[in-house]
Amino acid sequence: MPWRETTDPYRIWLSEIILQQTRVAQGLPYYLAFTEQYPTVFDLANAEEEQVLKLWQGLGYYSRARNLHTTAKYIANDLHGVFPASYKELLKLKGVGDYTASAIASICYDEVVPVVDGNVYRVLSRYFNISTPINSTEGIKEFKKVAIEVMEQEEPATYNQAIMEFGALQCKPQNPYCIVCPLNDSCESLQKGTVTSLPVKLKKLKVKKRYFNYLIFLVDNKHTVIRQRIGKGIWQNLYEFPLIESDNEVKLEYVEEHEILKESMSASSRNVTVYEEEFKIHKLSHQHLYTRFYIIRTNKSPKLDDSCQMIPIDKIKEYPVPVLLGNFIDSFFKV
DNA sequence: AACGCGGGGGG
DNA sequence: CCCCCAGCGTT
């Protein structure tokens, strides 16, 4: 892995942000793209947020990209490009929490601070047979304490990366091959037969259903309308098409009668069709989006509020969009 | 202390 | 269908 070949704090920081809640296989191409496009923290700081989000497109948890950019500007402009060099100071950076601060401090500055990520929770909970839920306040404190106690003092960078890799390759979530594990003679959960039930994690959230009705304007077959998502919620600062969200499935008439469409132009000057009757169900970890796309062909410029902008269709790929819309754009516009 | 936040991959 | 992933910020 390329981030194992450097101790440049910029690259270690970048790799750790990308890898938060993200598998190495998914994050690696993004790491390569970011280091290519932005070789230094100054290059990243000088970019527009929209460009950063575009390069981040598809990786999810977009607050990571926004915080990444904010922190890059802070380090480039206020700290003159010099990263904080301790766990305590790193922790103050936006988007850098306990795990990431420990990772950077140990890998770049040889500080003896343990990383406690999903892998480490699993290894420690099994080896010491600890059933405290890893996502409870108590569990977080308990595992951090244990991690500090058992941490090797000599090579913190190697130790931290090793215990994570041990969790990823040997002490795997499913079907760990304990018979060949080098720790099997002292692993408490293996002795007690609790390996498959550890680590303990508290309840999962209920998934919410939402209905997204996207309006795809085709003005003279050359322009379309998009707007940026603002405020709270999913996909903050990414772009999307004008959206009618509803509590339930709606019919074509509902969309045609909706004020967004009614006020945009007269019914006689447009033609509304459904792209695909079948819902496109986009699954996020906490909500399912039942999505339909409505194609609105017209020769007149629609009157929409100031948050919307009309753009040439051949420029649509320059805007950061969620995967759901990226897939639609690929299949519908074929650009 | 609980919740919101993406998307992909494996069993 | 489920769970998990080199977690963090907000409420």
Side-chain angles (χ1 to χ4, degrees):
Chain A
M1 296 178 278
W3 49 83
R4 298 284 293 269
E5 313 295 321
T6 180
T7 57
D8 173 6
Y10 168 65
R11 299 201 169 212
I12 298 300
W13 166 68
L14 175 61
S15 73
E16 294 299 345
I17 302 297
I18 287 175
L19 292 175
Q20 287 167 7
Q21 292 290 282
T22 303
R23 288 169 198 281
V24 169
Q26 189 186 3
L28 178 57
Y30 287 85
Y31 175 81
L32 298 175
F34 268 84
T35 50
E36 165 85 15
Q37 189 79 20
Y38 308 119
T40 72
V41 70
F42 296 101
D43 300 309
L44 181 56
N46 291 333
E48 290 298 318
E49 182 186 274
E50 196 168 307
Q51 299 304 119
V52 178
L53 285 171
K54 183 65 194 178
L55 205 55
W56 197 271
Q57 179 175 315
L59 199 52
Y61 286 146
Y62 295 95
S63 66
R64 290 185 293 170
R66 298 190 302 269
N67 289 336
L68 185 81
H69 189 225
T70 300
T71 295
K73 286 192 287 188
Y74 170 67
I75 291 174
N77 300 331
D78 294 4
L79 305 184
H80 310 292
V82 181
F83 271 75
S86 71
Y87 165 80
K88 191 180 166 191
E89 293 301 311
L90 286 161
L91 202 50
K92 296 177 182 172
L93 299 175
K94 210 165 177 115
V96 175
D98 183 84
Y99 163 78
T100 305
S102 301
I104 300 171
S106 61
I107 294 171
C108 302
Y109 306 112
D110 291 318
E111 189 172 342
V112 185
V113 281
V115 291
V116 187
D117 74 332
N119 292 305
V120 176
Y121 279 120
R122 190 167 52 253
V123 171
L124 296 180
S125 71
R126 286 175 177 169
Y127 189 77
F128 295 107
N129 197 36
I130 302 169
S131 56
T132 314
I134 61 172
N135 54 347
S136 64
T137 304
E138 188 191 350
I140 292 168
K141 277 162 58 181
E142 182 175 356
F143 282 98
K144 175 86 172 180
K145 185 161 179 264
V146 173
I148 290 171
E149 285 171 4
V150 302
M151 185 173 186
E152 164 68 47
Q153 302 292 301
E154 295 305 320
E155 295 181 58
T158 305
Y159 172 85
N160 275 338
Q161 300 193 64
I163 190 170
M164 288 190 285
E165 198 160 314
F166 179 75
L169 301 180
Q170 173 63 42
C171 199
K172 308 184 288 184
Q174 282 99 23
N175 309 318
Y177 198 30
C178 299
I179 189 82
V180 300
C181 179
L183 299 179
N184 59 10
D185 61 346
S186 51
C187 176
E188 207 170 320
S189 72
L190 181 59
Q191 255 116 72
K192 297 214 163 70
T194 56
V195 171
T196 57
S197 60
L198 292 176
V200 174
K201 207 170 184 176
L202 290 177
K203 63 170 165 74
K204 53 182 173 0
L205 296 57
K206 197 169 184 301
V207 176
K208 288 178 181 156
K209 267 191 193 178
R210 302 173 73 180
Y211 291 84
F212 279 12
N213 306 281
Y214 276 117
L215 307 181
I216 317 301
F217 286 91
L218 291 179
V219 184
D220 289 329
N221 219 20
K222 287 167 80 169
H223 290 77
T224 191
V225 178
I226 60 171
R227 66 182 173 196
Q228 195 168 24
R229 279 187 81 93
I230 48 169
K232 308 246 169 236
I234 58 174
W235 302 332
Q236 206 175 99
N237 293 13
L238 273 66
Y239 286 81
E240 65 180 359
F241 301 102
L243 170 65
I244 300 171
E245 182 170 355
S246 52
D247 296 330
N248 301 95
E249 175 174 357
V250 298
K251 297 183 185 305
L252 176 60
E253 294 76 50
Y254 176 86
V255 172
E256 287 201 279
E257 297 292 313
H258 196 277
E259 55 184 39
I260 293 182
L261 201 41
K262 270 180 102 169
E263 292 172 5
S264 69
M265 66 186 73
S266 64
S268 60
S269 57
R270 54 173 157 79
N271 171 32
V272 185
T273 57
V274 182
Y275 176 55
E276 282 176 347
E277 285 291 341
E278 194 94 346
F279 283 114
K280 184 69 191 173
I281 306 173
H282 188 70
K283 295 179 178 180
L284 307 181
S285 52
H286 54 300
Q287 37 186 287
H288 290 179
L289 310 178
Y290 286 68
T291 309
R292 265 207 289 249
F293 297 94
Y294 295 84
I295 314 301
I296 303 154
R297 298 176 192 279
T298 179
N299 298 318
K300 300 187 175 175
S301 293
K303 291 197 267 293
L304 295 157
D305 61 89
D306 294 338
S307 66
C308 295
Q309 50 181 307
M310 193 150 73
I311 62 160
I313 288 170
D314 57 19
K315 298 283 189 211
I316 188 128
K317 287 234 169 179
E318 296 175 11
Y319 294 85
V321 297
V323 163
L324 169 66
L325 299 182
N327 290 341
F328 169 79
I329 289 166
D330 285 343
S331 70
F332 182 72
F333 292 111
K334 297 186 176 63
V335 290

